Amino acid sequence: MGSHGDTIARKVAASGLLLALAVLFGYVEAVIPVPMPVPGMKLGLANIVIVTILYLAGWKEAIVISALRVLIIGFLFGNLFSISYGLAGTALSILGMALVRKTGKFSVVSVSALGGVLHNCGQILVATLVVIGFPWKWYLPVLMLAGLGAGIVTGFLNRLIIPRVRRLWG
């Protein structure tokens, strides 16, 4: 393999490792319950990996890795509803983060915070479509605050992680 082939192989290997890490974080959240005030609320540990991928590889790679993570975790520990919630949250979150990041006017912390809020908004949207009488007016503010907090923490962690992982992309 030439130098171009080595770069592609390195990126594929790094993507595989990051997918495995995202799945591992999802597994940890599934088997170690953290008491939360709202059912379905999680810390979003896997989003540390997804934001890293967004910054290092781009939005297309972040969508693919995140969708694969949602499917794997959903089939292992959830159901079709959890998969639909996760995919909606992922799509809205990554779309929003990618658009805001593209402006170059926001820090990784701000981008990640937006992603946390949008992820929960996507999940609320699905819940209002599939659960008759879903009390979205009560859930939305609580989940937006939780998404904001988790996104800020994720963003600060990514400020430390991204520079150290950047060399994987050559």
Side-chain angles (χ1 to χ4, degrees), residues 65-80:
I65 298 295
S66 195
L68 288 170
R69 174 194 57 87
V70 168
L71 290 170
I72 292 167
I73 293 299
F75 285 123
L76 290 175
F77 305 106
N79 53 44
L80 291 178

Side-chain angles (χ1 to χ4, degrees), residues 93-111:
S93 174
I94 292 175
L95 175 66
M97 287 191 300
L99 290 172
V100 168
R101 181 180 185 273
K102 188 174 182 175
T103 69
K105 296 180 181 182
F106 298 92
S107 71
V108 67
V109 175
S110 299
V111 171

Side-chain angles (χ1 to χ4, degrees), residues 22-93:
V23 169
L24 177 65
F25 284 162
Y27 171 75
V28 167
E29 284 189 330
V31 298
I32 302 175
V34 175
M36 294 288 184
V38 176
M41 187 183 292
K42 296 179 184 174
L43 297 173
L45 297 175
N47 292 323
I48 297 167
V49 177
I50 301 307
V51 172
T52 299
I53 293 168
L54 176 67
Y55 271 79
L56 297 180
W59 69 271
K60 292 176 187 175
E61 292 82 354
I63 282 278
V64 169
I65 298 295
S66 195
L68 288 170
R69 174 194 57 87
V70 168
L71 290 170
I72 292 167
I73 293 299
F75 285 123
L76 290 175
F77 305 106
N79 53 44
L80 291 178
F81 287 113
S82 64
I83 291 171
S84 63
Y85 291 131
L87 289 175
T90 288
L92 191 57
S93 174

